[in-house]
Amino acid sequence: MEKPMNDAGAGVGADGAAGAYFRAKLHFEIDVMDVADAAAGSFVLVDTRRQSSWDHGHIPGAMHLPTAEIPARAAALIPAGSSVVVYSWGPGCNGSTFAALAFAELGYPVREMIGGIEYWARNGLPVETTEGVGARQPDGLVTAHQPEG
């Protein structure tokens, strides 16, 4: 009996291509709230955007290392073997995917924060600018974390 296939022709089920793809994807991605809730020091958080985007706002405690500079500068800034989480703007930007690839090619264990800083901010988490650290009201459409009240 043939295994069922999805519309793209990939095998479905626990041992099919689709299952393998999604298992692997989940291994290399991390949700915004999981990053926010992670133990301090469990990974190096890297903002991979250009300087003007960093200046516009970034996650407090993140390191700024634009994607194009990762191959030349990562080893001097991040100890070998350190776990790395990268982010860029948001779901409409694949900059963090390119950054994750660059870190992976250098041998770092790396995960991509899905949603980027856009969903970080939309979840009401703190953003740092030249004017300090602030947070906006959580967007109820993107977070299960509701303000206490």
Side-chain angles (χ1 to χ4, degrees):
M1 178 173 180
E2 285 189 37
K3 293 189 185 249
M5 305 289 262
N6 67 13
D7 290 342
V12 296
D15 62 345
Y21 169 79
F22 288 110
R23 261 190 309 283
K25 182 178 178 183
L26 288 169
H27 182 74
F28 296 108
E29 292 180 340
I30 186 167
D31 180 82
V32 165
M33 295 311 297
D34 290 335
V35 170
D37 294 339
S42 59
F43 52 78
V44 178
L45 183 60
V46 180
D47 185 313
T48 66
R49 301 170 302 145
R50 66 182 75 147
Q51 185 67 47
S52 59
S53 297
W54 168 266
D55 293 342
H56 181 73
H58 55 273
I59 297 172
M63 170 185 291
H64 184 224
L65 184 57
T67 300
E69 298 175 21
I70 292 169
R73 297 184 56 216
L77 298 172
I78 303 170
S82 297
S83 292
V84 175
V85 171
V86 297
Y87 73 89
S88 59
W89 176 248
C93 171
N94 66 356
S96 58
T97 304
F98 283 106
L101 175 60
F103 275 109
E105 289 177 341
L106 292 172
Y108 287 89
V110 61
R111 295 178 87 182
E112 181 179 17
M113 185 178 83
I114 58 172
I117 194 164
E118 177 186 356
Y119 277 72
W120 179 273
R122 290 180 73 183
N123 273 279
L125 297 166
V127 173
E128 185 172 0
T129 67
T130 55
E131 295 157 7
V133 177
R136 64 188 240 181
Q137 284 295 108
D139 180 340
L141 294 176
V142 299
T143 185
H145 296 277
Q146 298 299 318
E148 294 180 19

